[in-house]
Amino acid sequence: MVIGVSEVVYLPIPKGMNAIISLCHFCEVHGPQVLFCTQPRHPLERTTSTDSDDTVTGGRFGRSSSITNEPTTPTSATPKNDFCGVCPGKDGPIFFGNDQQGHVLSYTFHINDSQARGFSQRYSILVVMMDKIYLLNSWPFLVPHLKTVIEHITKKTHVVYEREKAKMPHPPPQASRWSKPARSLMDLTEDRNIFKTLHLSFVWILKACGNRITETLLEGPPTEDSIIDMEKQEETEEGFCLIFSKKVNVEEVEESAANKEDTSENLDVEEGEGPIISNIRQLMKILDEDKFHVLAHHVVIGNQIIVRSCLKSVVKSVLSVLKSLLPKGCCRVIPYSHVYEESWKCNFLGLAPEVDLPMHIMSDETFVLVEVSLDEPKPTDTQLEEDTDKLLKRLLFNLASPRKLPDKAPSALSKMELALQNQDLTDTVVEHYLICLKEEWMNKVKVRFKFTKAGGNRSEEDTNKLLQVIGAKEEDTPLLKFWMQGLSLQYRNHILTTSKSAR
């Protein structure tokens, strides 16, 4: 009996892994056999089959080949060496292959069969693809899911095996059992849809595995911000992915702060509503250039920015746009909290209006407190939704700080302000200019980091000479020191490792 392709469900695989998953059986008489396989079908492929069930137009689909009811003897035209190998006497995953014929992740398993020699049959699920690195990096994902599929099969066969064993207390002679043809997986599981179920499982695995690893086309060397993004997205899968044990998890810090928010009903209704400041240029216009200069100066040299208001949307949007002045690695944000958080946890902190700063913070910490309020009368719910532009004009900002800023602002900030003030530049152009400017200064930071960490003790004279070489001035020193926090762990580890080996 042959179960044709027309009996197999086709499912779209929008972003399928470019691999083949197959179910294999090992017979002591016939050797290894591929029973059926599932693979992605790409849009450019054209089918020549006249079977209407096998004709697909558009999209990517999971495709299954024919499934035989029992293993067939290989013909003389097919060399036996072309069939997949097994791991005799051992269940579990193995890896083998080469660049010419492909690489294989094979998960071998056995199932109970009361009529088979040794009361078991041996199967394996193979994942075959040409990309060795992709397959190895997918190992931590593929192995657990293949194991789940295998457990589903073995549980079904075990039920059938126990029932047959109970009906047959005296098994027939060994020769009699061995002379019978091998039973199919449908008979062993008593599930006529077992191959459809396997096909659906294989389709999901191909789709999910394809979605979890993506390629990014880089038009040049990656920026520090892009490396920081990649470091945050890396998964801790032992053996194949890089693990950073000392990385600060910003999401956990934000979640922790969110958990501390109370749900008291005495907060004003404006807490969850209000206008939103969309970009850094709009913030400068609302603040006026003098206040913006003071606030931005605090930002770029790493002082803690505390925005306190009952207008939660304003607080969050102010902190969000201020982040555009810094490299991503320098931004640690707690968007809205009902308790004060220390500066080592966050340099951007949003607070509810009832939160007072601790006394020791007021005297010892370097921060700027931004109080945001609305002039009277308080807006109604309808006004909050409809008159956003009017509400932005009614916002009042009051800045206070216990510490005096340096007399001169860093050069990078001056260039940022010039771009923001230039009305001939669109918001998009300004956004890209800030990205380029930050990367330019991150390159200076890299040089200074390597100079200080890799070269041992440096004199003040040597440091001043370096600043001249990289085009920085004395007033840029606070910025350079703070922006070192924005360096990726890859770069830090590379410099520290190279410096140790050079000594």
Side-chain angles (χ1 to χ4, degrees):
M1 176 183 176
V2 175
I3 300 178
V5 179
S6 60
E7 295 188 41
V8 178
V9 178
Y10 292 96
L11 287 181
I13 306 180
K15 197 177 181 182
M17 179 185 183
N18 192 19
I20 298 175
I21 305 183
S22 60
L23 176 69
C24 302
H25 174 264
F26 182 80
C27 176
E28 293 186 355
V29 178
H30 305 108
Q33 289 271 284
V34 176
L35 299 185
F36 98 109
C37 62
T38 300
Q39 68 184 92
R41 173 178 289 175
H42 300 283
L44 296 180
E45 292 182 6
R46 293 291 182 267
T47 178
T48 57
S49 172
T50 57
D51 187 348
S52 60
D53 289 325
D54 193 32
T55 304
V56 181
T57 56
R60 298 181 180 179
F61 293 81
R63 182 180 186 181
S64 176
S65 64
S66 298
I67 308 166
T68 58
N69 187 48
E70 59 184 10
T72 57
T73 306
T75 63
S76 57
T78 306
K80 191 171 183 179
N81 291 337
D82 287 347
F83 290 93
C84 297
V86 295
C87 187
K90 179 177 175 63
D91 292 346
I94 59 173
F95 177 88
F96 59 91
N98 55 57
D99 292 336
Q100 287 72 40
Q101 296 177 325
H103 300 275
V104 181
L105 189 163
S106 173
Y107 203 122
T108 307
F109 63 101
H110 74 277
I111 58 177
N112 296 320
D113 183 0
S114 62
Q115 299 181 16
R117 184 181 183 183
F119 302 106
S120 69
Q121 291 195 43
R122 187 163 295 280
Y123 287 81
S124 63
I125 297 178
L126 306 184
V127 182
V128 186
M129 68 184 306
M130 299 302 297
D131 194 331
K132 177 182 178 181
I133 302 301
Y134 197 141
L135 186 56
L136 284 175
N137 277 278
S138 300
W139 177 290
F141 173 84
L142 291 172
V143 169
H145 289 92
L146 293 179
K147 184 178 180 181
T148 301
V149 173
I150 291 168
E151 288 175 348
H152 174 75
I153 299 173
T154 55
K155 285 179 182 179
K156 284 180 171 290
T157 58
H158 182 71
V159 172
V160 177
Y161 172 77
E162 290 295 330
R163 184 170 62 248
E164 292 178 346
K165 186 178 178 182
K167 293 179 180 179
M168 188 174 55
H170 302 290
Q174 186 80 348
S176 174
R177 293 202 311 271
W178 196 14
S179 62
K180 293 183 179 181
R183 293 195 291 174
S184 74
L185 196 58
M186 284 192 299
D187 294 331
L188 294 173
T189 59
E190 293 185 353
D191 182 0
R192 296 194 61 81
N193 293 318
I194 186 64
F195 289 112
K196 291 183 179 180
T197 302
L198 287 175
H199 177 62
L200 292 174
S201 301
F202 292 168
V203 166
W204 182 88
I205 290 174
L206 286 171
K207 178 182 176 181
C209 195
N211 287 338
R212 63 181 290 278
I213 299 180
T214 57
E215 294 181 339
T216 303
L217 179 62
L218 297 176
E219 298 179 354
T223 64
E224 282 298 296
D225 280 359
S226 63
I227 296 176
I228 291 290
D229 286 338
M230 287 187 285
E231 288 181 347
K232 290 179 180 179
Q233 293 171 4
E234 284 182 352
E235 301 178 19
T236 57
E237 299 169 337
E238 62 272 14
F240 302 104
C241 290
L242 192 59
I243 299 175
F244 296 106
S245 59
K246 296 184 179 179
K247 180 166 60 177
V248 175
N249 193 325
V250 179
E251 288 76 16
E252 287 184 0
V253 174
E254 293 182 4
E255 182 180 356
S256 173
N259 291 335
K260 295 179 182 177
E261 292 187 21
D262 63 50
T263 55
S264 56
E265 298 180 353
N266 57 2
L267 294 176
D268 292 336
V269 67
E270 291 90 350
E271 177 188 341
E273 304 291 341
I276 294 177
I277 298 172
S278 57
N279 57 61
I280 191 69
R281 176 179 271 175
Q282 187 180 31
L283 177 62
M284 184 177 71
K285 183 178 180 181
I286 295 171
L287 281 175
D288 78 47
E289 293 182 2
D290 292 336
K291 281 186 178 179
F292 177 83
H293 174 77
V294 173
L295 180 59
H297 194 168
H298 280 283
V299 171
V300 298
I301 63 175
N303 294 342
Q304 189 179 39
I305 310 300
I306 305 172
V307 182
R308 188 165 61 185
S309 175
C310 64
L311 299 165
K312 184 186 289 189
S313 63
V314 174
V315 173
K316 290 184 174 181
S317 61
V318 167
L319 296 179
S320 178
V321 299
L322 287 176
K323 286 167 57 180
S324 64
L325 300 177
L326 291 179
K328 289 186 177 180
C330 293
C331 299
R332 304 183 307 281
V333 185
I334 296 180
Y336 204 77
S337 174
H338 289 267
V339 293
Y340 173 77
E341 298 289 351
E342 301 283 350
S343 59
W344 63 269
K345 288 185 180 180
C346 59
N347 56 322
F348 291 111
L349 174 62
L351 289 180
E354 73 276 5
V355 181
D356 292 326
L357 301 184
M359 291 302 299
H360 70 280
I361 300 299
M362 295 290 292
S363 58
D364 296 336
E365 288 293 321
T366 302
F367 67 91
V368 58
L369 176 62
V370 183
E371 298 272 9
V372 186
S373 59
L374 282 169
D375 57 358
E376 295 295 336
K378 290 185 177 181
T380 63
D381 294 345
T382 305
Q383 288 175 322
L384 285 170
E385 295 176 359
E386 296 178 355
D387 301 332
T388 301
D389 292 338
K390 293 181 179 178
L391 284 173
L392 287 176
K393 294 179 181 178
R394 290 176 53 195
L395 290 177
L396 301 176
F397 287 81
N398 182 39
L399 277 60
S401 176
R403 298 292 178 91
K404 185 180 178 182
L405 287 169
D407 294 333
K408 293 185 178 180
S411 306
L413 176 59
S414 301
K415 293 181 179 180
M416 291 177 182
E417 291 177 310
L418 286 175
L420 293 171
Q421 293 165 0
N422 190 341
Q423 298 303 316
D424 293 332
L425 303 179
T426 65
D427 292 341
T428 305
V429 172
V430 170
E431 178 184 352
H432 285 84
Y433 174 77
L434 294 180
I435 293 174
C436 295
L437 185 63
K438 286 186 291 185
E439 190 61 22
E440 174 190 343
W441 279 86
M442 283 303 291
N443 289 331
K444 301 177 190 292
V445 171
K446 287 180 180 180
V447 175
R448 192 178 192 279
F449 178 81
K450 187 172 183 179
F451 177 78
T452 55
K453 301 297 181 182
N457 295 327
R458 300 288 189 175
S459 65
E460 184 178 353
E461 183 180 356
D462 291 336
T463 304
N464 291 333
K465 288 181 180 179
L466 175 72
L467 291 177
Q468 293 178 0
V469 170
I470 63 176
K473 301 177 181 178
E474 183 179 354
E475 56 265 26
D476 299 317
T477 301
L479 180 145
L480 294 173
K481 287 182 178 179
F482 172 56
W483 283 27
M484 280 189 188
Q485 297 181 19
L487 291 174
S488 63
L489 290 175
Q490 287 187 29
Y491 183 80
R492 291 171 181 268
N493 294 336
H494 170 70
I495 294 300
L496 295 176
T497 304
T498 348
S499 63
K500 287 180 181 178
S501 59
R503 292 175 185 174

